[in-house]
């Protein structure tokens, strides 16, 4: 099957067919408009591929997720976030020497310019940290101007190194505590936890259980092929905007409650159900009611029509970590009950709505002491290497033309201007 044919107004056209590594089939419509004058229409891009990519493979029906061919289950269990970031960026697992050098680079670049600390003083105490993160990431381009763009490798390291520091500083600012500088003797995740929770007055002991859990959480969020925020990063990168502007745009796209903002919305939903007496069945009924705009946040997915493998890992992790920490969280019980009842309900079964990555992640962030409005920032920290890998793949690619979709116009036909005195 090397071509697909279709007929329009009695004329038949042949279009080439591309086949992916796992035998996915795509009709290449690059020449469709020049051949037939017609375009395709696919609001939400349900059936439209924006590019070919070698970074991540998802099979939504089988619940499969692989980064550069490695199953997410194996990476979550055996790798750590820095190693997985290298894999996504470079296509192969690093050698011991490459990994050692990468870790050292991330340590070396973890500080932000002292002048950037002044930016935080202008924000109100209740400023949402996603607004701060997107603004600060874009502002990094003022310290590392475009001219360095040819050596974007150092800017990739700067972003992964500094995103933790910016996030932790935003948190410290929101609670009126002094910022804690990154330490050279701490690992990537331990450094972040220390910057978040250490206080100058006393020694903060980083809990290895939390370090392990944070590594797994960030690995699970590290990439997910052409999701909304990654497609946004590629869109902005295609105009040759600098890397900081592209990532800042991705952060803004992730913020939406239908996307990365769902993890904050899930926790707020669970807390609301808990405050309302824990009657989760009532809320499942509301989620099914077309006249009620309540949705079961953390449920459903454009691609996964089976379990999101990340949710499966996170459900087990939530139980294990809370047990290790000796925490019993009533919200976890409500989440498990919601999942159980939804998976037996025809409304969810018919629509193949399963828990997604955002359904359990908030339980773990909460157990770490991370506030709800920081949950999507945690998602951004995890997704950053994925965004950067896609930025690199587009920038280095041979078909990195500017993204410029077409449209079908449905507005007024041509008409003449009417002066204000003659308008009805
Ligand atoms: C992420 O794309 C990615 O890869 C994203 C992500 C990543 O790693 O980057 O996986 C991260 O964004 C996960 C998704 C987080 N969002 C949420 O949990 C928000 C709640 N879920 C939905 O809003 C929804 O399921 C989406 C946005 C995730 C998917 O939307 P789609 O594919 O456009 O599906 P849809 O809105 O057209 O829903 C199909 C049907 C509709 O019912 P009908 O009109 O057919 O009767 O399912 C219903 C929807 O009403 N539905 C839900 C529902 N999700 C879909 N009904 C109740 N509760 C829900 N959560």
């Amino acid at each position: 099957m090397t071509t697909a044919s279709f007929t329009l107004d009695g004329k038949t056209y042949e279009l080439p067919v591309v086949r992916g590594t796992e035998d996915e089939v795509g009709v290449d419509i690059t020449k469709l408009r020049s051949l037939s004058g017609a375009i395709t229409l696919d609001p939400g891009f349900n059936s439209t591929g924006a590019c070919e990519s070698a970074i991540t493979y998802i099979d939504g029906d089988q619940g499969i997720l692989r980064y550069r061919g490695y199953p997410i289950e194996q990476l979550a269990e055996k790798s750590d976030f820095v190693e997985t970031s290298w894999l996504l960026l470079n296509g192969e697992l690093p050698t011991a020497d490459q990994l050692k050098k990468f870790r050292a680079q991330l340590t070396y670049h973890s500080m932000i310019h002292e002048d950037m600390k002044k930016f935080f003083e202008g924000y109100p105490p209740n400023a949402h940290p996603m607004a701060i993160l997107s603004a600060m990431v874009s502002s990094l381009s003022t310290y590392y101007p475009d001219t360095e763009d040819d050596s974007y490798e150092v800017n990739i390291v700067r972003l992964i190194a500094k995103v933790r520091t910016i996030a932790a500083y935003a948190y410290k600012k929101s609670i009126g505590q002094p910022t804690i500088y990154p330490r050279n003797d701490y690992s990537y995740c331990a450094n972040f936890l220390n910057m978040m929770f250490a206080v100058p007055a006393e020694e903060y002991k980083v809990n290895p259980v939390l370090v392990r859990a944070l590594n797994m959480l960030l690995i699970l969020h590290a990439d997910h092929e052409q999701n909304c925020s990654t497609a946004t990063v590629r869109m902005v990168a295609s105009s040759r905007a600098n890397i900081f502007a592209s990532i800042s745009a991705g952060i803004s796209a992730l913020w939406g409650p239908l996307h990365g903002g769902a993890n904050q919305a899930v926790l707020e939903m669970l807390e609301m159900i808990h405050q309302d007496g824990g009657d989760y069945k009532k809320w499942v009924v509301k989620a099914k009611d077309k006249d009620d705009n309540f949705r079961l946040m953390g449920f459903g997915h454009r691609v996964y029509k089976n379990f999101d493998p990340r949710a499966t890992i996170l459900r087990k992790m939530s139980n294990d970590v809370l047990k290790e920490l000796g925490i019993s969280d009533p919200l976890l019980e409500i989440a498990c009950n919601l999942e159980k009842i939804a998976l037996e309900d025809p409304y969810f079964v018919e629509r193949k709505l399963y828990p997604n990555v955002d359904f359990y992640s908030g339980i773990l962030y909460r157990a770490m002491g991370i506030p709800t409005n920081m949950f999507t920032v945690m998602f951004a920290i995890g997704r950053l290497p994925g965004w950067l890998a896609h930025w690199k793949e587009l920038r280095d690619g041979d078909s990195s033309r500017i993204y410029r979709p077409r449209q079908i116009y449905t507005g007024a036909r041509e008409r003449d201007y009417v002066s204000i005195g003659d308008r009805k």
Side-chain angles (χ1 to χ4, degrees), residues 224 227-228 257-260 262 287 290 295-302 310 347-348 351 353 356-358 379 383:
H224 214 237
N227 58 85
C228 177
L258 295 188
H259 189 15
K290 282 296 159 213
R295 279 200 160 185
L296 211 48
M297 300 312 279
F299 254 76
H301 200 277
R302 173 64 58 80
R310 301 167 297 177
Y347 173 92
F348 294 90
R351 291 168 179 79
L353 302 176
N356 58 50
V357 68
D358 293 310
F379 195 142
R383 185 52 51 89

Side-chain angles (χ1 to χ4, degrees), residues 267-287 292 294 330-331 334 338:
L267 236 291
E268 288 162 354
M269 172 187 76
L270 294 175
E271 275 171 343
M272 179 180 64
I273 296 173
H274 182 55
Q275 296 304 326
D276 183 46
D279 177 8
Y280 52 89
K281 291 179 180 158
K282 176 176 110 178
W283 293 92
V284 171
V285 171
K286 284 172 70 69
D292 190 325
F294 173 76
L331 302 191
I334 294 174
L338 273 176

Side-chain angles (χ1 to χ4, degrees), residues 191-251:
N191 231 329
F192 173 72
L193 292 170
N194 189 61
M195 286 190 278
M196 283 285 286
F197 301 118
V199 286
E202 59 193 40
E203 181 63 21
Y204 169 74
K205 274 196 71 42
V206 180
N207 184 333
V209 173
L210 298 189
V211 173
R212 182 76 206 110
L214 184 54
N215 267 293
M216 289 177 77
L217 271 162
L218 296 180
I219 288 171
L220 293 173
H221 286 82
D223 193 50
H224 214 237
E225 53 139 274
Q226 303 304 314
N227 58 85
C228 177
S229 52
T230 300
T232 302
V233 168
R234 290 183 82 116
M235 168 75 81
V236 176
S238 76
S239 75
R240 287 286 184 273
N242 69 68
I243 197 165
F244 302 105
S246 305
I247 298 302
S248 177
I251 293 167

Side-chain angles (χ1 to χ4, degrees), residues 84-142:
T84 296
S85 298
W86 174 278
L87 169 67
L88 286 168
L89 288 162
N90 299 289
E92 299 296 335
L93 288 168
T95 62
D97 187 44
Q98 286 169 330
L99 187 55
K100 187 163 173 256
K101 280 200 183 109
F102 188 44
R103 289 192 202 283
Q105 284 177 321
L106 292 174
T107 299
Y108 178 78
H109 287 283
S110 52
M111 297 261 283
I112 59 174
H113 194 291
E114 275 301 287
D115 288 351
M116 285 195 93
K117 289 182 69 176
K118 296 186 189 107
F119 292 23
F120 289 88
E121 290 159 23
Y123 291 109
N126 60 350
H128 198 292
M130 281 297 275
I132 296 175
L133 186 63
S134 58
M136 296 298 272
V137 163
S138 185
S139 301
L140 284 172
S141 60
T142 62

